[in-house]
């Protein structure tokens, strides 16, 4: 090339960049070629070791993402399950494209785009992934007596399968005690692949994996494979601009399981702001509506919130209260689909979780220090009416790290 740099693979967006075809430019506006700095970050993730922690006395597996991809893909091909391509998704892909997004990267989401036509293929995928874990057990471990069920109980955080008219995919999440689970997702079809523009990025890994396999020389600025990034939001430059400026933008949140409500509040707490305040206020209603459609029972809501707090705030315990306070305000402001008592139940749940977070962080010493003061009902206008005692008190604030939070919780 003119600048002296060489590519290992051809770029499908190179013609569009040259301006030879306006139509081709429009079809590739969701794509972008990674620069050298981005390639280096991607290489560090794929070649770095991630521990998969075992339960009980099972040993920790030290896994390099590039190795587990190769092992799983080769076994899928052996079982005649065709893998079209492998992609990196989620927060890790966003981190590769923009290092200082404010989100870091948590789970390692690897997508295997494959032909999954029926229950047999789903079952084979589950079995071969569990069988692949045997390859990563430390030397000296007797593998003959370890069954797939034992491996599942020891190393799998969760397993999900969705099979309907529009979505055919499964997920196997391998446990990591520090919140960096290795999530292997096997996708035949998936109608909605993102929640917000800032988490819509996918990076195609095949050219880099081929480079690892074939090249005798290490990568350099002037010698590395062409790697394509894609925004499934649809407009790569716009989505990347949102990531760099920490802007929240989405469309049709009613299509997302849970409405994207929990992720939306998480972005707000991490310093993101709405790209359009007026539009996002409207979309908040759709988020809340879809959340309560998917989680109508207060018990389900509790389990979902506790799971989200556990999985998304590792080493960020001090942010949990902020998150729950933000969620409380959004639900209170934008929920229009619930009966009054259902709405109060949900708000009470969020308040109780927030109070528990404060107690866990020693922001309040014990329950005896929490007092509920009841305001007289509006119809009590008689000055001699004394069934209520209204205390004139100053709000109590508890220090949390470098912030101050009101310790008053709404009473049920």
């Amino acid at each position: 090339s003119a600048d002296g740099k060489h590519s290992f693979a051809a770029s499908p967006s190179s013609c569009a960049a040259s301006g030879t075809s306006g139509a081709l430019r429009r079809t590739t506006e969701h794509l972008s070629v990674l620069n050298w700095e981005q390639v280096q970050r991607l290489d560090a993730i794929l070649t770095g070791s991630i521990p998969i922690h075992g339960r009980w006395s099972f040993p920790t597996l030290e896994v390099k993402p590039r190795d587990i991809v190769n092992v799983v893909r080769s076994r899928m091909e052996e079982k005649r399950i065709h893998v079209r391509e492998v992609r990196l998704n989620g927060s890790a892909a966003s981190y590769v494209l923009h290092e200082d997004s404010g989100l870091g990267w948590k789970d390692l989401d690897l997508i295997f785009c494959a032909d999954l036509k029926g229950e047999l293929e789903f079952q084979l995928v589950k079995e071969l992934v569990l069988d692949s874990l045997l390859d990563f057990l430390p030397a000296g471990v007797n593998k003959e007596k370890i069954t797939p069920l034992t491996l599942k109980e020891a190393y799998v955080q969760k397993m999900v399968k969705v099979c309907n008219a529009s979505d055919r995919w499964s997920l196997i999440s391998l446990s990591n005690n520090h919140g960096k689970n290795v999530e292997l997702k096997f996708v035949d079809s998936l109608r909605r692949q993102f929640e917000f523009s800032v988490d819509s990025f996918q990076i195609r890994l095949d050219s880099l994996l081929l480079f690892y396999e074939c090249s005798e020389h290490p990568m350099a600025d002037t010698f590395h494979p062409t790697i394509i990034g894609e925004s499934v939001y649809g407009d790569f430059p716009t989505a990347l601009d949102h990531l760099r400026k920490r802007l929240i933008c989405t469309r049709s949140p009613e299509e997302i399981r849970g409405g994207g409500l929990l992720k939306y509040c998480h972005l707000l707490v991490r310093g993101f702001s709405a790209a359009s305040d007026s539009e996002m206020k409207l979309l908040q209603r759709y988020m809340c509506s879809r959340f309560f459609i998917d989680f109508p029972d207060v018990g389900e809501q509790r389990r979902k919130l506790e799971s989200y707090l556990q999985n998304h705030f590792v080493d960020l315990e001090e942010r949990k209260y902020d998150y729950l306070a933000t969620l409380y305000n959004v639900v209170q402001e934008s929920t229009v689909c619930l009966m009054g008592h259902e709405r109060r139940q949900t708000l009470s749940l969020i308040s109780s979780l927030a109070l528990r977070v404060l107690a866990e962080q020693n922001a309040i010493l014990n329950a005896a220090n929490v007092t509920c003061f009841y305001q007289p009902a509006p119809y009590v206008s008689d000055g001699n009416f004394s069934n209520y005692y209204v205390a004139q008190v100053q709000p109590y604030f508890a220090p949390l790290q470098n912030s101050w939070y009101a310790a008053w919780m709404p009473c049920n």
Side-chain angles (χ1 to χ4, degrees), residues 10-28:
S11 165
S13 62
S14 58
C15 293
S18 67
T20 59
S21 171
L24 184 57
R25 183 183 300 110
R26 287 192 295 272
T27 63
T28 57

Side-chain angles (χ1 to χ4, degrees), residues 196-198 246-250 264 267-268 272-276 280:
F196 298 90
S197 60
V198 294
R246 303 189 183 188
L247 298 177
I248 305 172
C249 187
T250 190
Y264 170 65
L267 289 173
L268 289 174
F272 284 65
S273 58
S276 169
M280 196 54 66

Side-chain angles (χ1 to χ4, degrees), residues 72-134:
V72 170
R73 182 163 62 176
S74 65
R75 297 198 179 192
M76 291 178 71
E77 296 292 353
E78 288 174 6
K79 297 293 185 180
R80 300 184 183 278
I81 301 175
H82 176 57
V83 179
R84 298 187 295 272
E85 63 177 339
V86 182
R87 298 184 174 206
L88 180 68
N89 187 43
S91 58
S94 298
Y95 167 79
V96 166
L97 294 171
H98 182 55
E99 185 176 18
D100 188 25
S101 67
L103 294 174
W105 67 278
K106 193 177 69 67
D107 295 337
L108 183 72
D109 300 317
L110 295 165
I111 299 178
F112 295 79
C113 301
D115 296 335
L116 305 171
K117 300 305 180 185
E119 181 60 32
L120 175 62
E121 285 79 9
F122 282 104
Q123 185 64 28
L124 285 173
V125 163
K126 182 178 77 169
E127 291 174 359
L128 66 87
V129 169
L130 295 176
D131 189 53
S132 298
L133 296 179
L134 293 174

Side-chain angles (χ1 to χ4, degrees), residues 37-79:
E37 289 184 0
Q38 293 167 335
V39 171
Q40 287 178 296
R41 287 197 291 271
L42 178 61
D43 175 62
I45 289 176
L46 293 184
T47 59
S49 182
I50 298 179
I52 306 300
H53 296 105
R55 298 182 181 89
W56 314 301
S57 59
F58 278 82
T60 297
L61 311 181
E62 294 294 336
V63 175
K64 292 182 179 180
R66 58 175 283 187
D67 293 338
I68 196 167
V69 167
N70 288 332
V71 170
V72 170
R73 182 163 62 176
S74 65
R75 297 198 179 192
M76 291 178 71
E77 296 292 353
E78 288 174 6
K79 297 293 185 180

Side-chain angles (χ1 to χ4, degrees), residues 135-207:
D135 291 5
F136 298 96
L137 286 170
V141 174
N142 185 358
K143 303 177 183 180
E144 294 181 0
K145 296 184 179 180
I146 301 178
T147 66
L149 179 60
T150 302
L151 290 168
K152 174 181 176 294
E153 294 298 324
Y155 294 109
V156 174
Q157 176 81 12
K158 63 181 176 181
M159 300 180 74
V160 179
K161 182 181 72 173
V162 176
C163 187
N164 55 45
S166 60
D167 298 325
R168 303 177 65 84
W169 58 272
S170 66
L171 170 71
I172 300 177
S173 178
L174 306 178
S175 302
N176 177 280
N177 295 342
H178 306 300
K180 281 186 166 55
N181 293 345
V182 177
E183 302 210 329
L184 308 177
K185 197 168 189 176
F186 303 89
V187 178
D188 182 274
S189 61
L190 184 58
R191 183 168 55 109
R192 177 79 180 213
Q193 301 186 60
F194 72 98
E195 291 185 81
F196 298 90
S197 60
V198 294
D199 63 15
S200 69
F201 300 104
Q202 297 182 1
I203 298 174
R204 302 176 182 179
L205 301 180
D206 291 82
S207 62

